[in-house]
């Protein structure tokens, strides 16, 4: 649940990461398979620690699933995003660090 002062839809700092660091789990993969989202599985790359991860775009360092027409901070796969995306807490220390790194002021 996003805190009111942290507007994720004007931010998306946590969706801009180094390649291989937004890791997905076997549970994510099993879920995507069960709901017919083979495209999610096919779009994964190698992650750190021998796991799989979302690929990052070269041009802007964002997750390949970030951005809709006219809505650059929206997730294209919000309903089936990975567990790590669901669990990430707006307003957490890591959120605040990611925002600071991208020059987005913290409340
Ligand atoms: S870095 Fe924090 S405020 Fe920005 S999109 Fe992620 S959770 Fe939301
Ligand atoms: S799947 Fe969506 S929420 Fe998760 S990192 Fe990619 S764009 Fe962000």
């Amino acid at each position: 649940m996003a805190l009111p002062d942290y507007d994720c839809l004007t931010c998306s700092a946590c969706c801009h990461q180094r390649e291989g660091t937004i890791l997905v789990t076997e549970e994510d993969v099993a879920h995507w398979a069960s709901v017919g989202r083979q495209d999610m599985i096919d779009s994964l790359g190698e992650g750190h620690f021998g796991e799989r991860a979302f690929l990052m775009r070269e041009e802007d360092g964002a997750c390949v699933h970030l951005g809709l027409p006219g809505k650059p901070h929206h997730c294209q796969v919000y309903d089936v995003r990975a567990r790590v995306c669901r669990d990430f807490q707006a307003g957490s220390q890591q959120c605040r660090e990611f925002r600071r790194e991208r020059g987005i002021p913290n409340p």
Side-chain angles (χ1 to χ4, degrees):
M1 173 75 75
L3 299 175
D5 289 342
Y6 290 84
D7 184 1
C8 295
L9 298 182
T10 61
C11 174
S12 73
C14 53
C15 304
H16 294 73
Q17 298 296 326
R18 281 176 292 116
E19 188 75 51
T21 58
I22 303 185
L23 300 175
V24 306
T25 65
E26 287 309 310
E27 287 73 22
D28 291 319
V29 173
H31 176 64
W32 293 325
S34 75
V35 296
R37 293 302 300 265
Q38 184 63 36
D39 59 311
M40 293 291 294
I41 302 170
D42 292 343
S43 69
L44 296 172
E46 281 184 29
H48 293 178
F49 316 118
E51 298 186 52
R52 285 185 277 184
F54 288 130
L55 290 172
M56 299 293 130
R57 289 192 292 253
E58 277 186 23
E59 61 268 31
D60 62 357
C63 172
V64 293
H65 300 302
L66 184 67
L68 291 167
K71 298 175 178 176
H73 305 292
H74 282 58
C75 176
Q76 301 158 11
V77 296
Y78 189 78
D79 290 346
V80 291
R81 66 200 190 286
R83 170 55 61 189
V84 67
C85 309
R86 293 174 188 275
D87 287 348
F88 197 80
Q89 291 290 313
S92 64
Q93 185 179 349
Q94 204 171 24
C95 160
R96 293 174 62 83
E97 283 177 17
F98 289 157
R99 288 172 63 101
R100 201 177 305 121
E101 284 169 7
R102 289 188 64 77
I104 302 168
N106 280 313

